[in-house]
């Protein structure tokens, strides 16, 4: 079935040729080292939604095949070298000859005691932490650990036990924090770092939220802080799991929501479009196949891995993952349609907030809606009290973060306190944020603020409050967001419910520090002069939002002359979005709209405002320009969207959508205004899932 896109007035419609991804983004071959196993005839039994079933491989996964495969990292097969835990001259944590310094300037020798007192590593010393040597607990953490210039704190990688560090903070004041290196990924040795808000052996507090003001004034509260120094280095490199997320090759029938006659074993045995090397007992996520995705309507499922193998059908390889308990719900996989994503949540290195991080205001989940078209909406005054851990890389500091699981991180509405945060960095080109899992986050997943050329790739984000992948101020350019995944993203202050394209603006307040978080989206790209390739979003108010910033929203950068809304597109291609846009009848799952701004006469930048819809003023309308001032186009290419109200919406002056495929949309496939170029648009109103 086909339906015309809705095009507004004042329109020029042009036709052109499609832009494909460059060849350099082709799929690399992945060899997991195990011999592929020939599959059985179970594939060919007639238990699909429509006729006999065959496994879905990538080139028939959708109609136009716009979704690129995740490439294998180029160094994946390199032997490990320069492993810091094998360096000579390392000192043991409990070496009795070491002289440590307390924050008050006094010194001591011997192993530090987990009594909440801050400590500074001995100068010009490299210390190795081995499993079983630390004695901190949930009630008695170590104080803040500072690593000075010339010193290193190194985590061992013997694989024989778990290293658990309870601490108030780790501060790299010119020193280095190391677990592996860029040329030495760790083995599967377990490392668990728990960040505490205070020494709580005698505390009656059940939540760290009372520390909100203190944390807002001090980066070092409950954080890992890479200070502004050219010698500050955070190098964490967990084992490589590839791919970090993929898609189903066959549907899951569901044990309580049975929609097909597939055998019940298929609720435990998952078939994937890629072979994977995921760990036994690891936790995976299978995303929803519904159009709505909220806490009270949650059809995402998690399962624990029981076995993993690679199977062969008709000379093609597929992943087979068996989970320990059957999945409850139907998860769609239809050829020439779409397939639910499957992501690995577990990593062997974990950085997490303590057990006092969780929000305490978690009910009621739903409230009655006064707006026609929605009977209920998520309540506006819940999930605002989470105060997890956070990490930040500042100025000339360097952070290379690969293969880490971040859990219970982020501080809701405490500005700058996010799970992964690069802040006014001049070292973006040296930085890496790759292969990580960010889950159960209380504010965002990955934030880049005044950062350039930072590589953000292959990450998984699940259950995120506020925008997940977040280019904060609008000046961030030439960064790389590639093959990342965002899912189950929640608005702060309740989602913006929009019947019309014109809506009132609202302002920031104490429980909504960034008013745009009412439209929390998987990817928030405030400046399109970045490379955004192969990402996927499930859920969120929008899946990918390209907001309108007339100025940078950082007060220190506001008058630097950059007009983020008018910057030309570098490359936005090969991305997908689903189960998104439920709370708006006009804004798309891919949404080039929503204006975040200060009024022009608010020169002190005191009141940040946001309008989620279309704004008539020239100041708040996108008008893309090249560097020489000539007109440019907002260009979005090779995009796939499904399960939405509207596939894509744009309010800008010049929009080019080239290569766009949309399935199971409820209102419109595309809603765009002014001068528009549409090319290679494919609309499938209803699939076998609908």
């Amino acid at each position: 079935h086909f339906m015309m896109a809705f095009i507004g007035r004042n329109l020029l419609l042009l036709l052109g040729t499609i832009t494909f991804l460059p060849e350099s983004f082709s799929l690399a071959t992945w060899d997991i080292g195990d011999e592929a196993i020939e599959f059985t005839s179970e594939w060919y039994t007639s238990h699909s939604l429509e006729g006999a079933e065959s496994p879905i491989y990538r080139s028939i996964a959708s109609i136009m095949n716009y979704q690129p495969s995740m490439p294998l990292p180029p160094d994946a097969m390199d032997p490990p070298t320069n492993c810091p835990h094998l360096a000579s001259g390392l000192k043991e944590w409990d070496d009795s000859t070491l002289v440590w310094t307390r924050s008050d300037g006094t010194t001591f020798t011997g192993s530090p005691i987990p009594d909440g007192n801050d400590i500074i590593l001995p100068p010009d010393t490299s210390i190795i932490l081995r499993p079983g040597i630390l004695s901190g607990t949930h009630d008695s953490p170590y104080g803040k650990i500072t690593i000075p210039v010339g010193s290193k704190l190194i985590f061992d990688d013997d694989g024989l036990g778990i290293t658990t560090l309870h601490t108030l903070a780790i501060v790299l004041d010119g020193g280095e924090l190391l677990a592996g290196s860029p040329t030495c990924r760790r083995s599967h040795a377990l490392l668990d770092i728990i960040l505490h808000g205070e020494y709580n052996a005698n505390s009656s507090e059940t939540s760290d939220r009372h520390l909100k003001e203190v944390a807002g004034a001090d980066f070092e509260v409950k954080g890992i802080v890479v200070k502004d120094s050219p010698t500050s280095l955070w190098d964490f490199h967990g084992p490589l799991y590839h791919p970090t997320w993929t898609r189903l090759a066959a549907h899951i029938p569901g044990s309580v929501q049975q929609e097909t006659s597939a055998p019940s074993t298929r609720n435990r045995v998952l078939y994937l479009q890629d072979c994977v090397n995921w760990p036994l007992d690891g936790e995976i996520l299978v995303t929803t196949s519904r159009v709505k995705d909220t806490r009270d309507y949650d059809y995402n499922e998690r399962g624990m891995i029981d076995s993993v193998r690679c199977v062969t059908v008709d000379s093609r390889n597929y992943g087979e993952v068996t989970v320990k308990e059957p999945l409850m719900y139907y998860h769609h996989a239809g050829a020439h349609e779409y397939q639910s994503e499957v992501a690995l949540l577990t990593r062997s290195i974990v950085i997490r907030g303590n057990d006092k991080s969780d929000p305490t205001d978690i009910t009621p989940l739903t409230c009655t809606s006064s707006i026609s078209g929605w009977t209920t909406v998520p309540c506006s005054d819940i999930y605002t009290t989470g105060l997890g851990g956070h990490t930040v890389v500042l100025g000339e500091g360097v952070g290379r973060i690969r293969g880490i699981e971040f859990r219970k991180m982020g501080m809701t509405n405490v500005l700058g306190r996010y799970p992964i945060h690069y802040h006014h960095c001049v070292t973006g080109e040296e930085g890496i944020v790759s292969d990580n899992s960010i889950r159960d986050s209380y504010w965002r997943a990955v934030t880049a603020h005044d950062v350039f050329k930072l590589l953000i790739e292959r990450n998984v984000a699940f259950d995120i409050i506020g925008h997940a992948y977040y280019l904060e101020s609008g000046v961030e350019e030439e960064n790389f967001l590639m093959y990342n995944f965002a899912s189950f993203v929640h608005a702060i202050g309740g989602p913006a419910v929009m019947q019309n394209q014109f809506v009132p603006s609202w302002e920031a307040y104490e429980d909504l520090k960034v008013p745009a978080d009412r439209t929390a989206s998987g990817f928030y790209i405030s400046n399109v002069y970045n490379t955004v390739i192969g990402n996927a979003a499930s859920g969120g108010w929008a899946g990918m939002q390209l907001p309108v910033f007339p100025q940078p929203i950082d007060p220190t950068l506001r008058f630097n002359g950059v007009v983020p809304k008018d910057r030309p597109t570098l490359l936005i291609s090969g991305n997908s979005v689903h189960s998104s846009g439920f709370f708006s009848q006009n804004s798309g799952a891919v949404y080039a709209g929503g204006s975040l701004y200060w009024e022009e006469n608010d020169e002190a930048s005191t009141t940040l405002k946001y309008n989620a819809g279309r704004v008539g003023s020239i100041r708040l309308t996108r008008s893309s320009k090249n560097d020489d001032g000539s007109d440019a186009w907002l260009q979005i290419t090779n995009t796939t969207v499904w399960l939405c109200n509207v596939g894509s919406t744009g309010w800008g002056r010049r929009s080019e959508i080239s290569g766009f495929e949309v399935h199971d949309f409820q209102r419109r496939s595309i809603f765009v205004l002014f001068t528009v170029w549409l090319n290679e648009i494919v609309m499938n109103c209803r699939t076998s899932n609908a």
Side-chain angles (χ1 to χ4, degrees):
H1 304 284
F2 294 91
M3 180 181 292
M4 283 197 71
F6 180 86
I7 313 294
R9 290 175 294 179
N10 306 320
L11 164 127
L12 173 64
L13 181 62
L14 305 173
L15 296 179
T17 58
I18 190 166
T19 301
F20 290 99
L21 288 175
E23 291 183 2
S24 58
F25 292 104
S26 63
L27 175 66
T29 301
W30 170 244
D31 179 6
I32 64 170
D34 293 327
E35 183 179 353
I37 302 168
E38 289 293 334
F39 197 59
T40 70
S41 60
E42 184 182 5
W43 279 117
Y44 305 107
T45 58
S46 297
H47 54 248
S48 68
L49 292 175
E50 296 180 355
E53 181 182 32
S54 295
I56 298 167
Y57 49 93
R58 196 167 299 275
S59 63
I60 66 167
S62 58
I63 296 173
M64 300 300 291
N65 192 28
Y66 290 141
Q67 301 165 59
S69 300
M70 183 186 301
L72 185 69
D75 62 347
M77 300 303 175
D78 294 347
T81 59
N82 299 320
C83 300
H85 67 285
L86 300 178
S88 60
L90 302 181
K91 299 290 186 179
E92 301 293 332
W93 175 268
D94 59 351
D95 188 324
S96 61
T97 67
L98 294 180
V99 180
W100 299 74
T101 304
R102 300 185 182 92
S103 56
D104 61 5
T106 61
T107 61
F108 66 95
T109 58
S111 182
I113 300 171
D115 57 3
N117 287 313
D118 298 342
I119 56 176
I120 303 172
L121 265 66
D124 300 313
T125 305
S126 297
I127 296 176
I128 188 165
L129 272 173
R130 302 187 191 277
I133 197 65
L134 297 171
S135 56
T137 67
H138 284 283
D139 292 328
S140 298
Y142 292 92
K144 178 176 67 181
I145 301 171
T146 297
I147 309 172
V149 175
S151 294
K152 302 177 183 180
L153 184 60
I154 301 167
F155 291 95
D156 194 15
D157 186 26
D158 67 0
L160 298 178
I162 181 170
T163 302
T164 302
L165 172 60
H166 292 269
T167 181
L168 300 188
I170 303 175
V171 178
L172 283 64
D173 192 6
E176 300 181 15
L177 181 66
L178 309 177
S181 75
T183 58
C184 178
R185 281 190 178 262
R186 283 168 58 92
S187 68
H188 299 278
L190 300 179
L191 170 59
D192 191 11
I193 299 176
I194 302 98
L195 297 168
H196 295 254
E198 58 187 350
Y199 183 74
N200 46 23
N202 299 311
S203 172
S204 60
E205 297 284 354
T206 58
S207 169
D208 279 340
R209 191 64 186 182
H210 65 285
L211 299 172
K212 175 185 174 184
E213 299 303 325
V214 176
D218 185 356
F219 262 128
E220 296 178 4
V221 173
K222 208 171 181 178
I224 295 178
V225 180
V226 184
K227 296 187 77 170
D228 180 5
S229 167
T231 60
S232 296
L233 172 62
W234 179 19
D235 245 349
F236 268 25
H237 302 270
L240 173 65
Y241 298 115
H242 182 77
T244 52
W245 60 273
T246 181
R247 292 185 170 92
L248 290 173
H251 70 270
I252 298 170
S255 60
V256 300
Q257 185 202 341
Q258 188 85 20
E259 295 193 6
T260 77
S261 59
S264 60
T265 56
R266 288 276 293 278
N267 295 317
R268 287 190 61 229
V269 182
L270 283 58
Y271 298 105
L272 312 179
Q273 293 179 23
D274 298 284
C275 290
V276 297
N277 67 332
W278 296 349
L280 300 183
D281 297 317
E283 189 172 16
I284 63 168
L285 164 72
V286 185
T287 59
T288 182
S289 292
R290 302 288 187 105
V291 68
K292 182 180 178 181
D293 186 40
T294 56
R295 292 187 182 100
D296 67 304
Y297 198 81
D298 179 11
Y299 286 85
N300 302 286
E301 292 193 82
R302 286 174 279 186
M304 304 301 293
I305 297 175
D306 195 40
S307 68
V308 175
R309 64 174 185 165
C310 193
V311 299
T312 301
V313 183
D314 296 334
S315 301
R316 294 187 179 92
N317 291 335
Y318 301 87
E320 179 191 271
V321 173
T322 302
V323 293
K324 295 185 177 182
E325 299 294 333
L327 300 183
M328 297 174 62
Y329 304 122
Y330 175 79
H331 297 275
H332 188 64
H336 302 297
E337 296 178 344
Y338 52 84
Q339 305 82 37
S340 291
E341 296 92 353
V342 184
L344 178 66
L345 298 176
T346 297
R347 303 292 187 273
S348 63
I349 302 176
V350 179
I351 299 174
R352 57 188 172 104
N354 65 343
D355 56 6
K356 297 183 180 183
S357 300
D358 301 327
T360 56
D361 54 341
I362 61 174
T363 58
L365 289 179
T366 57
C367 292
T368 302
S369 173
S370 60
I371 300 176
S372 176
W374 295 268
T375 55
T376 62
V377 293
C379 294
S380 62
D381 54 353
I382 59 172
Y383 284 88
T384 62
T385 56
L387 199 119
H390 79 100
T391 74
V392 62
V393 181
L394 300 167
E396 291 188 280
V398 174
R400 297 183 293 214
I401 310 166
R402 299 192 299 174
I404 316 302
E405 178 182 341
F406 295 87
R407 192 191 313 160
K408 294 188 177 184
M409 300 286 282
M411 303 180 183
T412 312
N413 286 315
V414 182
L415 289 173
R417 308 303 185 263
Y418 315 122
I420 303 174
H421 182 197
Y422 285 71
H423 183 76
H424 293 287
C425 283
V426 298
T427 59
E429 198 165 4
E430 300 175 59
I432 303 172
V433 182
S434 179
D435 304 287
N436 303 294
S437 167
I438 307 99
R439 53 188 298 197
D440 310 322
S441 168
Y442 307 131
W443 209 12
R444 317 219 184 286
V446 180
T447 299
H449 181 186
D450 189 22
V451 179
F452 305 85
K453 299 183 180 180
L454 178 64
L455 177 61
I456 304 170
E457 66 169 358
R458 299 166 47 88
N459 300 286
V460 170
F462 170 68
D463 198 2
I464 309 296
I465 294 175
H467 296 290
Y469 298 92
Y470 184 66
L471 302 186
E472 185 166 356
S473 69
V475 302
E476 300 79 20
E477 294 191 348
E478 297 184 272
N479 299 289
F480 301 88
L481 287 88
M482 304 192 301
Y483 308 102
N484 301 289
F485 176 58
S487 58
F488 207 39
V489 177
H490 314 289
I492 301 176
V497 181
M498 291 172 46
Q499 280 183 311
N500 304 303
Q501 55 184 289
F502 294 101
V503 297
S505 298
W506 56 83
E507 300 179 355
Y509 58 92
E510 187 61 26
D511 287 336
L512 185 67
K513 286 291 189 179
V514 179
D517 276 323
R518 287 194 62 199
T519 61
S521 305
F523 296 85
Y524 192 75
I525 312 299
S526 59
N527 184 322
V528 297
Y529 198 72
N530 289 282
T531 298
V532 185
I533 292 176
N535 304 284
S538 170
W541 189 88
M544 180 169 290
Q545 188 174 358
L546 316 177
V548 174
F549 285 17
Q551 299 168 303
I553 65 162
D554 181 337
T556 68
L557 301 171
R558 178 179 174 184
F559 299 106
N560 69 356
V562 176
V563 183
K565 72 179 181 70
D566 292 346
R567 296 293 290 144
T569 310
L570 191 54
L571 180 61
I572 302 176
S573 187
N575 303 290
S576 67
V577 174
H578 71 91
S579 306
S580 185
F582 179 81
F583 292 103
S584 175
Q585 295 183 352
N586 293 286
S587 62
V590 177
Y591 183 40
S595 302
L596 187 61
Y597 62 99
W598 288 288
E599 297 288 5
E600 287 186 278
N601 60 4
D602 180 12
E603 294 187 3
S605 308
T606 58
T607 306
L608 196 60
K609 295 185 175 182
Y610 183 69
N611 190 295
R614 177 186 170 196
V615 181
S617 72
I618 294 176
R619 180 172 182 257
L620 299 180
T621 299
R622 188 186 306 274
S623 182
S624 302
K625 303 287 185 182
N626 294 309
D627 288 339
D628 61 4
S630 61
D631 287 348
W633 295 69
L634 172 65
Q635 297 173 309
I636 303 173
T637 63
N638 302 346
T639 308
T640 309
V641 177
W642 62 93
L643 293 170
C644 59
N645 270 332
V646 181
S648 181
T649 299
W651 313 123
R653 291 290 177 181
R654 290 169 297 280
S655 301
E656 176 185 339
I657 300 177
S658 183
F660 188 84
E661 180 177 330
V662 58
H663 303 262
D664 290 341
F665 56 97
Q666 298 190 126
R667 293 181 60 81
R668 299 177 177 127
S669 61
I670 299 175
F671 184 11
V672 283
L673 300 175
F674 304 110
T675 306
V676 177
W677 179 305
L678 299 180
N679 181 45
E680 297 278 353
I681 310 299
V682 177
M683 291 160 276
N684 182 10
C685 295
R686 295 295 176 263
T687 68
S688 57
N689 184 36

